[in-house]
Amino acid sequence: MDFEILIKEIKDDIEEERLEAELPPSFLMHCNRHTFEEDHKRSLLAWWMLKEELLKRGINPYKVELQYGKEGKPHMEGFPFNIAHSGKMVILLISEKECGVDIERIASRPPFDRMAKKVFSPKENEVYNASKDKPDTFLYLWSRKEAFMKKSGVGISDFSLLREDTPSSVVSKKIQDSLGSSYWLSYLL
């Protein structure tokens, strides 16, 4: 296995108590860091997916030591993974090496002109400013940028890295949920 991307759609009737009961304490502690209920639900599903993948590979998730990088990126020794969620979609990326993944729901929103100037490189801003669909383009560029940042293990507060061009090796594609909402999914191995 070089890498695997697992995608799940969160359902309205998600059994939060069942997922919470099935998660190792260190995974549940990570989920409980989310303030908003929808983020908590998505996080529960993502970490449950990770637990299930560990079990499939013969790894006891209750015996794994969850560690955090200096910017808070969770990791496990010898098992590179990354999690992302947005809207109804939850993504788990498992790889043989450090990786980053992001997903952004494409919604009709006003352009992010001020934010684009702060977070994109000059080249990326040219692409954004030339776009006829700025919300879509912003989220495309942002999902690529965030996948890169997550792989690097640095937070989005590192504006020096934010302003660099995102590597062309980031893979991006559009996906849809069952309600027809579109998302940009980007990953970097």
Side-chain angles (χ1 to χ4, degrees):
M1 170 199 79
D2 190 27
F3 71 96
E4 188 173 357
I5 297 175
L6 297 125
I7 302 172
K8 288 230 185 259
E9 186 172 333
I10 196 162
K11 305 295 182 200
D12 291 333
D13 61 348
I14 186 172
E15 299 175 38
E16 285 181 73
E17 284 112 24
R18 181 182 67 81
L19 293 180
E20 287 174 345
E22 292 183 12
L23 285 180
S26 63
F27 288 19
L28 186 57
M29 188 172 76
H30 186 84
C31 296
N32 289 336
R33 294 167 48 171
H34 293 283
T35 306
F36 299 108
E37 184 178 348
E38 289 304 308
D39 288 334
H40 179 73
K41 287 179 184 179
R42 289 186 285 260
S43 185
L44 281 173
L45 181 56
W47 286 88
W48 181 84
M49 290 165 60
L50 178 60
K51 179 201 71 132
E52 292 297 306
E53 289 303 312
L54 288 167
L55 288 170
K56 282 181 192 174
R57 290 164 169 78
I59 301 169
N60 183 339
Y62 290 90
K63 295 195 175 181
V64 213
E65 186 178 336
L66 191 58
Q67 301 167 345
Y68 291 90
K70 66 178 182 164
E71 294 293 331
K73 179 182 178 182
H75 60 93
M76 289 179 272
E77 189 67 38
F79 195 85
F81 73 96
N82 200 231
I83 289 172
H85 43 76
S86 178
K88 296 226 170 251
M89 304 302 276
V90 176
I91 310 295
L92 170 62
L93 173 60
I94 299 169
S95 177
E96 293 177 345
K97 55 187 177 183
E98 274 309 309
C99 56
V101 66
D102 188 46
I103 185 163
E104 298 293 338
R105 187 167 79 80
I106 302 168
S108 181
R109 302 182 225 181
F112 301 95
D113 295 343
R114 286 181 52 208
M115 188 180 226
K117 287 177 190 169
K118 290 181 181 177
V119 300
F120 295 145
S121 71
K123 187 170 146 186
E124 291 164 336
N125 266 296
E126 283 180 33
V127 171
Y128 172 75
N129 289 324
S131 172
K132 293 191 185 327
D133 186 351
K134 285 191 172 186
D136 181 78
T137 303
F138 181 91
L139 293 168
Y140 164 75
L141 292 168
W142 180 254
S143 71
R144 294 173 59 78
K145 178 82 61 186
E146 194 162 340
F148 168 56
M149 301 293 284
K150 289 171 78 176
K151 179 187 182 207
S152 302
V154 299
I156 58 173
S157 60
D158 185 345
F159 278 91
S160 63
L161 193 54
L162 267 177
R163 299 281 295 152
E164 289 182 17
D165 286 336
T166 302
S168 60
S169 52
V170 174
V171 177
S172 298
K173 64 181 182 175
K174 267 189 181 173
I175 63 171
Q176 283 191 323
D177 64 23
S178 62
L179 299 175
S181 293
S182 294
Y183 298 78
W184 276 111
L185 168 64
S186 297
Y187 63 92
L188 178 62
L189 304 174

